[in-house]
């Protein structure tokens, strides 16, 4: 996720989170699942964790990635919305090893069901940031296919 020109970290997070949890896209919000955060306040929670990370480590977390996002798409009729959400949640737990808070939002507003999985770049203990790794895209695909 990137900071939009002239927007603060909390504003950028709020815009991204508001888009993925949009009730018209998530069956009235029933297809939004979170881990160790609340979807309504995750932007503030994650901004606070970035400030705490900066204070604890003396590294500037405002320079760099503030959150990561993965999208999972399913062919029409392949899964129900509830199954898609469960797959997204299982993916997030396994990929992040329960070390980062996340939001899984399943969108049903188009002809193919898809998940938006968004997680805080700062770990729950506040001591490190998630680092994208070489060939992470392939790892994401393999894990997602394995779960499906």
């Amino acid at each position: 996720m990137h900071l939009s020109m002239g927007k603060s970290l909390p504003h950028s997070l709020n815009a991204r989170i508001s888009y993925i949890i949009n009730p018209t896209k998530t069956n009235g919000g029933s297809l939004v699942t979170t881990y160790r955060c609340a979807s309504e306040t995750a932007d503030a929670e994650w901004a606070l964790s970035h400030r705490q990370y900066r204070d604890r480590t003396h590294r500037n977390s405002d320079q760099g990635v503030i959150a990561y996002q993965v999208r999972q798409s399913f062919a029409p009729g392949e899964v129900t919305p509830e199954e898609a959400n469960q797959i997204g949640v299982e993916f997030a737990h396994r990929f992040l090893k329960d070390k980062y808070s996340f939001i899984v939002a399943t969108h049903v507003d188009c002809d193919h069901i898809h998940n938006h999985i968004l997680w805080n770049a700062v770990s729950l203990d506040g001591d490190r940031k998630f680092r994208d790794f070489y060939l992470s895209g392939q790892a994401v695909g393999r894990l997602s296919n394995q779960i499906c």
Side-chain angles (χ1 to χ4, degrees):
M1 191 175 116
H2 66 280
L3 286 174
S4 299
M5 294 298 286
K7 293 183 180 176
S8 66
L9 182 148
H11 188 270
S12 294
L13 279 172
N14 181 274
R16 173 65 17 213
I17 292 169
S18 294
Y19 173 77
I20 71 168
I21 67 169
N22 183 335
T24 62
K25 297 175 180 291
T26 60
N27 198 23
S30 66
L31 297 171
V32 175
T33 305
T34 63
Y35 175 72
R36 304 283 304 265
C37 65
S39 60
E40 303 82 12
T41 58
D43 58 332
E45 293 174 51
W46 293 0
L48 176 62
S49 74
H50 280 263
R51 285 192 299 277
Q52 291 172 331
Y53 171 83
R54 183 185 62 230
D55 294 344
R56 182 176 292 126
T57 65
H58 305 293
R59 295 184 191 125
N60 188 358
S61 70
D62 294 338
Q63 305 292 349
V65 179
I66 55 177
Y68 287 86
Q69 179 172 299
V70 168
R71 288 187 260 337
Q72 288 178 312
S73 293
F74 302 93
E78 184 177 18
V79 294
T80 67
E82 294 76 17
E83 289 171 332
N85 190 264
Q86 289 173 341
I87 290 168
V89 170
E90 183 176 344
F91 168 84
H93 279 296
R94 288 174 61 179
F95 187 69
L96 301 171
K97 299 179 174 116
D98 291 340
K99 294 180 180 177
Y100 299 86
S101 58
F102 64 79
I103 302 169
V104 176
T106 304
H107 286 195
V108 293
D109 62 325
C110 56
D111 57 348
H112 68 282
I113 295 170
H114 60 280
N115 288 328
H116 292 264
I117 303 165
L118 186 69
W119 68 91
N120 188 3
V122 174
S123 64
L124 289 167
D125 64 12
D127 288 339
R128 65 188 172 284
K129 288 183 73 177
F130 182 89
R131 297 287 182 223
D132 201 9
F133 53 92
Y134 183 66
L135 300 177
S136 63
Q138 289 180 359
V140 164
R142 276 195 308 272
L143 179 58
S144 184
N145 289 339
Q146 182 183 39
I147 292 168
C148 290

